[in-house]
Amino acid sequence: MKILANDGIDQSAKVALESRGFFIDTTNIPQVELPSRIKDYDILLVRSATKVTREVLDAAPNLKLVGRAGVGLDNIDTTYAKERGVAVVNTPAASSTSVAELVFAHLFSVCRMLQYTNREMPENGIKDFNALKKTASAGIELKGKTLGLIGFGRIGREAARMAFGLGMNVIAFDPMITEAEVEITFHPDAGIPPVKKLVRTISKDEVLMHADFVSLHIPGGQGYVIAEPELKLMKKGSGLINCARGGVVNEHDLVDALNSGHLAYAGIDVFEKEPPVYDGILKLRNVSLTPHIGASTAEAQKRIGDEMAEQIISFFK
């Protein structure tokens, strides 16, 4: 069986698959060339960069399985894959911790203005040290604040667990979930049993109106979930974090809300177009930025690779 890991694969997963007789090609084939070069592969593994379109599927007569190394499937035409008899699998649990931790990296960054001082200190840290200190001293604490979660699946619940550990309040909206239990664990040596918190979901509008920070944990492909009407509902001085999917937030409307002072903060890991084509979102000092790295930790990539390898091996047993 020939596997094209077009967006790469963790070394441990590569070793596991090769030990079972799979041939793995880690060549990155550009999207425009993929239809002309996919025909000899039995399995296609992708992350978020490669799009598995109808054109790609039509050009792959031997394809039996598409694996998405990550959570969302919006870059795969799953309906047409099913019509073609091509199975699609993903790794929904493997990156939850990494993505949730990035949410809090952005939260800490904007609350203490790290994104601003890290830009300014190298150039102005000597001559304007006191001025920078004065500006950055207007930070706030997360403890006691309310985190609103739009989407309360695995990653949303992991973010809730971390928020509870920081002393935050949590509210959530999810059209598929009415309530869910979040377990807070302690170091084994502490001798403290896990604490369970029950979160009952409320309406999306209520989350937007009452949260100090709103974090998105939703799939893409559904258009704007956050645009001007939703931003107007958010509390004045609140913040928005998007480590979910590009295209669910209207970036121009977000920049308008930040420039007007209605929103005080934003943390953005994913963009409508990648690389970004609108630089307005990149230049504000109250916006924390990362280049789509939510699942890009060593631990998450190993878990993703191992889980994907297990699914592939199981599928072809």
Side-chain angles (χ1 to χ4, degrees), residues 15-71:
V15 170
L17 288 165
E18 287 175 339
S19 71
R20 296 298 189 101
F22 292 90
F23 171 80
I24 302 175
D25 185 353
T26 57
T27 302
N28 177 256
I29 300 174
Q31 185 72 44
V32 294
E33 299 177 20
L34 196 54
S36 64
R37 297 172 61 182
I38 190 68
K39 63 184 179 64
D40 294 328
Y41 293 98
D42 304 284
I43 303 161
L44 173 60
L45 302 184
V46 301
R47 293 182 185 173
S48 58
T50 300
K51 308 290 188 292
V52 186
T53 62
R54 178 183 288 256
E55 182 184 13
V56 170
L57 291 165
D58 279 340
N62 297 327
L63 200 63
K64 302 170 183 65
L65 179 70
V66 174
R68 164 70 164 95
V71 180

